[in-house]
């Protein structure tokens, strides 16, 4: 993969964590300097763990000016090992002094995930002072990519979520017992800055395919960010890139 200005190829997950943490803190400092607040939405999964652990060591006064949202959440209790909130709580929220009112966890206690999605959308609009017709602008969105090309909880074939006019939807991934809540492309693409963290050889083929322009958003939902690629920074580890290079031989 050619190194371009928006693709950082890092040695391993440790360096990926350093890069991701540094991007988060730099974006936060810039936003806070410019407007006194930083709105950020984070993903879950395995890849961002190291980034969050780095943030957990970032003792700083900035946290009172940070408003934290989730790109997606599994519809499970906040103390479930499946919960993206639980990952953030374990790795950094329990270690820093972010005001609890700045931590906007997806509520997963309602019996209806669709209602929870609507509640979360109202929360985003309220906190970000966005009107019903506005699309709130996150300062940073931290995305991952699955080996199937999904991002957030937008999975291949889910045209309904891709085309949704809402900011937040509930989805059901085939084979999972739980539903998920996800931000939609509508709000993801409006972010000022998007960072995609990709690690592991198992994602090489998909990364090579999307970078080569193969497929569309339905086949590879990560392609929802293609129209705003100028705002995207990729942080990809060598295991993933080497998989691409091996695949080309
Ligand atoms: C989730 C995540 C998801 C994640 C990708 C990559 O809730 O599962 O938000 O979108 O970013 O699945 O996951 P890994 O980092 O575990 O490979």
């Amino acid at each position: 993969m050619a190194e371009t200005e928006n693709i950082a190829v890092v040695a391993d997950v440790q360096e990926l964590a350093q890069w991701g943490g540094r991007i988060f803190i730099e974006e936060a400092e810039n936003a806070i300097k410019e407007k006194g607040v930083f709105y950020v939405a984070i993903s879950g999964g395995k890849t961002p763990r190291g980034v969050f652990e780095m943030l957990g060591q970032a003792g700083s006064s900035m946290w009172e000016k940070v408003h934290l949202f989730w790109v997606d959440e599994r519809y499970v209790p906040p103390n479930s090992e499946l919960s993206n909130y639980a990952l953030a709580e374990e790795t950094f929220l329990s270690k820093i002094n972010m005001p609890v009112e700045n931590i906007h966890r997806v509520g997963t206690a309602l019996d209806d995930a669709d209602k929870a999605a609507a509640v979360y959308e109202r929360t985003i609009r309220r906190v970000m002072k966005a009107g019903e017709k506005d699309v709130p602008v996150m300062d940073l969105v931290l995305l991952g990519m699955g080996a199937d090309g999904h991002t957030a909880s937008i999975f291949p074939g889910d045209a309904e979520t891709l085309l949704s006019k809402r900011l937040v939807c509930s989805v059901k991934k085939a084979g999972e017992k739980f539903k998920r809540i996800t931000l939609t492309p509508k709000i993801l693409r409006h972010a000022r800055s998007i960072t995609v963290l990709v690690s592991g050889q198992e994602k090489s083929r998909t990364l090579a395919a999307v970078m080569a322009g193969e497929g569309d958003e339905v086949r590879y939902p990560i392609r929802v960010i293609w129209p705003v690629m100028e705002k995207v920074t990729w942080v990809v580890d060598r295991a993933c890139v080497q998989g691409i290079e091996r695949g080309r031989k």
Side-chain angles (χ1 to χ4, degrees):
M1 175 188 289
E3 297 239 348
T4 69
E5 69 288 349
N6 68 339
I7 299 179
V9 178
V10 295
D12 49 31
V13 284
Q14 287 73 27
E15 194 181 349
L16 183 141
Q18 295 299 324
W19 267 79
R22 195 165 45 239
I23 289 170
F24 186 109
I25 290 171
E26 282 172 8
E27 293 282 0
E29 289 172 346
N30 293 342
I32 290 167
K33 196 164 127 194
E34 182 189 325
K35 57 192 174 82
V37 67
F38 177 56
Y39 297 118
V40 58
I42 58 174
S43 288
K46 297 184 295 294
T47 307
R49 173 177 279 273
V51 174
F52 299 162
E53 287 167 345
M54 185 190 163
L55 295 178
Q57 296 156 19
S60 157
S61 61
M62 77 174 188
W63 294 116
E64 62 195 19
K65 296 188 171 63
V66 176
H67 280 273
L68 180 68
F69 299 90
W70 273 261
V71 165
D72 61 341
E73 183 56 281
R74 292 81 177 278
Y75 208 66
V76 296
N79 59 356
S80 161
E81 63 179 11
L82 290 167
S83 163
N84 288 339
Y85 167 79
L87 171 68
E89 165 65 22
E90 176 212 332
T91 50
F92 76 109
L93 294 179
S94 55
K95 299 173 168 58
I96 60 171
N97 58 345
M98 185 184 287
V100 66
E101 62 272 17
N102 289 21
I103 301 172
H104 307 294
R105 178 174 72 80
V106 177
T108 57
L110 290 177
D111 56 2
D112 179 340
D114 287 334
K115 279 188 200 149
V119 167
Y120 200 56
E121 177 159 337
R122 285 198 295 276
T123 298
I124 293 171
R125 290 188 185 283
R126 172 178 56 78
V127 172
M128 296 179 69
K129 303 177 179 60
E132 272 310 302
K133 294 196 177 356
D134 299 333
V135 181
V137 177
M138 292 284 175
D139 294 302
L140 175 64
V141 164
L142 214 44
L143 295 178
M145 185 189 81
D148 62 356
H150 84 263
T151 193
S153 284
I154 311 168
F155 294 94
D158 183 1
E160 186 183 348
T161 304
L162 283 169
L163 298 170
S164 175
K165 299 231 179 313
R166 296 178 53 188
L167 305 181
V168 187
C169 283
S170 72
V171 302
K172 179 72 173 61
K173 179 186 178 187
E176 287 185 340
K177 291 191 171 57
F178 50 86
K179 282 196 168 184
R180 290 165 171 257
I181 301 289
T182 186
L183 297 191
T184 61
K186 180 174 178 179
I187 186 171
L188 293 175
R189 280 198 280 254
H190 258 74
R192 286 175 63 176
S193 178
I194 299 168
T195 292
V196 189
L197 306 174
V198 187
S199 164
Q201 185 179 338
E202 72 279 8
K203 300 181 181 180
S204 306
R205 187 183 302 274
T206 298
L207 189 64
V210 296
M211 289 298 180
E214 290 175 25
D216 58 10
E217 296 177 353
V218 179
R219 171 67 190 82
Y220 298 119
I222 189 66
R223 289 187 60 92
V224 297
I225 61 176
W226 252 247
V228 291
M229 197 56 101
E230 72 281 357
K231 300 193 283 189
V232 178
T233 299
W234 294 79
V235 185
V236 184
D237 74 0
R238 187 141 308 283
C240 187
V241 170
Q242 276 169 347
I244 294 175
E245 287 155 358
R246 267 199 291 281
R248 285 191 179 137
K249 287 184 181 108

